[in-house]
Short mmCIF file of all heavy atoms in Angstrom, two decimals:
data_model
loop_
_atom_site.label_atom_id
_atom_site.label_comp_id
_atom_site.label_asym_id
_atom_site.label_seq_id
_atom_site.Cartn_x
_atom_site.Cartn_y
_atom_site.Cartn_z
N LEU D 184 -12.52 -13.01 11.62
CA LEU D 184 -13.27 -12.21 10.66
C LEU D 184 -14.68 -12.78 10.50
O LEU D 184 -14.91 -13.96 10.76
CB LEU D 184 -12.56 -12.18 9.29
CG LEU D 184 -11.16 -11.56 9.27
CD1 LEU D 184 -10.59 -11.60 7.86
CD2 LEU D 184 -11.19 -10.12 9.78
N ASN D 185 -15.59 -11.93 10.06
CA ASN D 185 -16.97 -12.35 9.87
C ASN D 185 -17.11 -13.34 8.72
O ASN D 185 -16.54 -13.12 7.65
CB ASN D 185 -17.86 -11.15 9.57
CG ASN D 185 -17.64 -10.00 10.54
OD1 ASN D 185 -16.67 -9.27 10.42
ND2 ASN D 185 -18.53 -9.88 11.50
N SER D 186 -17.90 -14.37 8.93
CA SER D 186 -18.22 -15.26 7.81
C SER D 186 -19.21 -14.60 6.87
O SER D 186 -19.23 -14.85 5.66
CB SER D 186 -18.79 -16.59 8.32
OG SER D 186 -19.97 -16.35 9.08
N SER D 187 -20.07 -13.74 7.42
CA SER D 187 -21.02 -12.96 6.62
C SER D 187 -21.40 -11.72 7.42
O SER D 187 -21.17 -11.65 8.63
CB SER D 187 -22.26 -13.79 6.28
OG SER D 187 -22.91 -14.18 7.47
N TRP D 188 -22.00 -10.75 6.75
CA TRP D 188 -22.45 -9.55 7.43
C TRP D 188 -23.86 -9.76 7.96
O TRP D 188 -24.70 -10.36 7.29
CB TRP D 188 -22.45 -8.35 6.49
CG TRP D 188 -21.11 -8.03 5.90
CD1 TRP D 188 -20.78 -8.05 4.57
CD2 TRP D 188 -19.91 -7.64 6.59
NE1 TRP D 188 -19.47 -7.70 4.39
CE2 TRP D 188 -18.90 -7.43 5.62
CE3 TRP D 188 -19.60 -7.44 7.92
CZ2 TRP D 188 -17.61 -7.05 5.94
CZ3 TRP D 188 -18.31 -7.06 8.26
CH2 TRP D 188 -17.34 -6.86 7.28
N THR D 189 -24.13 -9.27 9.16
CA THR D 189 -25.45 -9.44 9.75
C THR D 189 -26.20 -8.12 9.90
O THR D 189 -27.34 -8.11 10.35
CB THR D 189 -25.33 -10.07 11.16
OG1 THR D 189 -24.53 -9.23 11.99
CG2 THR D 189 -24.69 -11.44 11.07
N ASP D 190 -25.54 -7.00 9.53
CA ASP D 190 -26.24 -5.71 9.66
C ASP D 190 -27.13 -5.48 8.45
O ASP D 190 -27.27 -6.33 7.59
CB ASP D 190 -25.23 -4.57 9.85
CG ASP D 190 -24.20 -4.52 8.73
OD1 ASP D 190 -24.55 -4.90 7.61
OD2 ASP D 190 -23.05 -4.12 8.99
N ASN D 191 -27.67 -4.31 8.35
CA ASN D 191 -28.64 -4.02 7.29
C ASN D 191 -28.06 -3.18 6.17
O ASN D 191 -28.78 -2.54 5.44
CB ASN D 191 -29.86 -3.30 7.88
CG ASN D 191 -29.50 -1.98 8.54
OD1 ASN D 191 -28.33 -1.59 8.55
ND2 ASN D 191 -30.50 -1.31 9.09
N ILE D 192 -26.73 -3.20 6.04
CA ILE D 192 -26.11 -2.37 5.01
C ILE D 192 -26.18 -3.02 3.64
O ILE D 192 -26.24 -2.36 2.62
CB ILE D 192 -24.64 -2.05 5.39
CG1 ILE D 192 -24.61 -1.24 6.68
CG2 ILE D 192 -23.92 -1.32 4.29
CD1 ILE D 192 -23.23 -0.92 7.19
N THR D 193 -26.16 -4.36 3.59
CA THR D 193 -26.16 -5.04 2.31
C THR D 193 -27.49 -4.83 1.60
O THR D 193 -28.55 -4.97 2.18
CB THR D 193 -25.92 -6.55 2.51
OG1 THR D 193 -24.69 -6.72 3.20
CG2 THR D 193 -25.88 -7.27 1.18
N HIS D 194 -27.43 -4.51 0.33
CA HIS D 194 -28.61 -4.24 -0.47
C HIS D 194 -28.69 -5.24 -1.63
O HIS D 194 -27.80 -6.05 -1.83
CB HIS D 194 -28.57 -2.81 -1.01
CG HIS D 194 -28.53 -1.77 0.08
ND1 HIS D 194 -29.66 -1.21 0.60
CD2 HIS D 194 -27.50 -1.23 0.76
CE1 HIS D 194 -29.34 -0.34 1.57
NE2 HIS D 194 -28.02 -0.34 1.66
N SER D 195 -29.77 -5.15 -2.39
CA SER D 195 -29.93 -6.05 -3.53
C SER D 195 -28.81 -5.84 -4.52
O SER D 195 -28.20 -4.77 -4.60
CB SER D 195 -31.27 -5.78 -4.22
OG SER D 195 -31.26 -4.51 -4.83
N ALA D 196 -28.54 -6.88 -5.30
CA ALA D 196 -27.46 -6.79 -6.29
C ALA D 196 -27.70 -5.67 -7.28
O ALA D 196 -26.79 -4.90 -7.61
CB ALA D 196 -27.31 -8.13 -7.02
N HIS D 197 -28.97 -5.55 -7.74
CA HIS D 197 -29.28 -4.50 -8.71
C HIS D 197 -29.11 -3.12 -8.09
O HIS D 197 -28.50 -2.22 -8.68
CB HIS D 197 -30.72 -4.67 -9.20
CG HIS D 197 -31.15 -3.57 -10.14
ND1 HIS D 197 -30.70 -3.50 -11.45
CD2 HIS D 197 -31.97 -2.49 -9.95
CE1 HIS D 197 -31.23 -2.42 -12.03
NE2 HIS D 197 -31.99 -1.80 -11.15
N GLY D 198 -29.62 -2.96 -6.85
CA GLY D 198 -29.48 -1.67 -6.18
C GLY D 198 -28.04 -1.32 -5.89
O GLY D 198 -27.63 -0.17 -6.01
N SER D 199 -27.25 -2.33 -5.53
CA SER D 199 -25.84 -2.09 -5.24
C SER D 199 -25.09 -1.65 -6.48
O SER D 199 -24.29 -0.71 -6.44
CB SER D 199 -25.20 -3.36 -4.67
OG SER D 199 -25.76 -3.68 -3.42
N LYS D 200 -25.33 -2.34 -7.60
CA LYS D 200 -24.65 -1.97 -8.85
C LYS D 200 -25.02 -0.56 -9.28
O LYS D 200 -24.17 0.21 -9.72
CB LYS D 200 -25.01 -2.97 -9.95
CG LYS D 200 -24.40 -4.35 -9.76
CD LYS D 200 -24.80 -5.29 -10.89
CE LYS D 200 -24.18 -6.67 -10.68
NZ LYS D 200 -24.61 -7.64 -11.74
N ALA D 201 -26.30 -0.21 -9.13
CA ALA D 201 -26.74 1.13 -9.51
C ALA D 201 -26.08 2.17 -8.61
O ALA D 201 -25.64 3.23 -9.09
CB ALA D 201 -28.26 1.22 -9.41
N HIS D 202 -25.99 1.87 -7.33
CA HIS D 202 -25.37 2.80 -6.39
C HIS D 202 -23.89 2.97 -6.69
O HIS D 202 -23.36 4.10 -6.67
CB HIS D 202 -25.56 2.28 -4.96
CG HIS D 202 -24.91 3.13 -3.92
ND1 HIS D 202 -23.76 2.76 -3.26
CD2 HIS D 202 -25.24 4.36 -3.42
CE1 HIS D 202 -23.42 3.71 -2.41
NE2 HIS D 202 -24.29 4.68 -2.47
N VAL D 203 -23.20 1.87 -6.99
CA VAL D 203 -21.78 1.93 -7.32
C VAL D 203 -21.55 2.75 -8.58
O VAL D 203 -20.68 3.63 -8.63
CB VAL D 203 -21.20 0.51 -7.48
CG1 VAL D 203 -19.78 0.56 -8.06
CG2 VAL D 203 -21.19 -0.22 -6.14
N ARG D 204 -22.34 2.48 -9.62
CA ARG D 204 -22.20 3.23 -10.88
C ARG D 204 -22.49 4.71 -10.67
O ARG D 204 -21.82 5.58 -11.26
CB ARG D 204 -23.13 2.66 -11.94
CG ARG D 204 -22.68 1.33 -12.53
CD ARG D 204 -23.42 1.05 -13.83
NE ARG D 204 -24.86 0.96 -13.59
CZ ARG D 204 -25.51 -0.16 -13.34
NH1 ARG D 204 -24.84 -1.31 -13.27
NH2 ARG D 204 -26.82 -0.17 -13.15
N ALA D 205 -23.47 5.01 -9.83
CA ALA D 205 -23.84 6.41 -9.60
C ALA D 205 -22.70 7.20 -8.97
O ALA D 205 -22.63 8.42 -9.11
CB ALA D 205 -25.08 6.47 -8.70
N ILE D 206 -21.81 6.52 -8.27
CA ILE D 206 -20.67 7.18 -7.64
C ILE D 206 -19.43 7.13 -8.52
O ILE D 206 -18.79 8.15 -8.78
CB ILE D 206 -20.38 6.54 -6.26
CG1 ILE D 206 -21.51 6.87 -5.29
CG2 ILE D 206 -19.03 7.04 -5.71
CD1 ILE D 206 -21.40 6.16 -3.97
N THR D 207 -19.08 5.94 -9.01
CA THR D 207 -17.80 5.75 -9.71
C THR D 207 -17.75 6.42 -11.08
O THR D 207 -16.66 6.58 -11.63
CB THR D 207 -17.46 4.26 -9.85
OG1 THR D 207 -18.52 3.61 -10.57
CG2 THR D 207 -17.30 3.61 -8.49
N ARG D 208 -18.90 6.81 -11.61
CA ARG D 208 -18.92 7.45 -12.93
C ARG D 208 -19.07 8.96 -12.85
O ARG D 208 -19.20 9.63 -13.88
CB ARG D 208 -20.04 6.85 -13.79
CG ARG D 208 -19.83 5.37 -14.09
CD ARG D 208 -20.91 4.81 -14.98
NE ARG D 208 -20.72 3.38 -15.23
CZ ARG D 208 -21.50 2.63 -16.01
NH1 ARG D 208 -22.54 3.19 -16.62
NH2 ARG D 208 -21.25 1.35 -16.19
#
Side-chain angles (χ1 to χ4, degrees):
L184 298 180
N185 311 79
S186 59
S187 61
W188 301 118
T189 59
D190 55 31
N191 60 1
I192 297 178
T193 302
H194 299 269
S195 68
H197 177 74
S199 294
K200 289 180 180 177
H202 178 254
V203 170
R204 286 196 299 267
I206 291 173
T207 58
R208 296 182 181 182

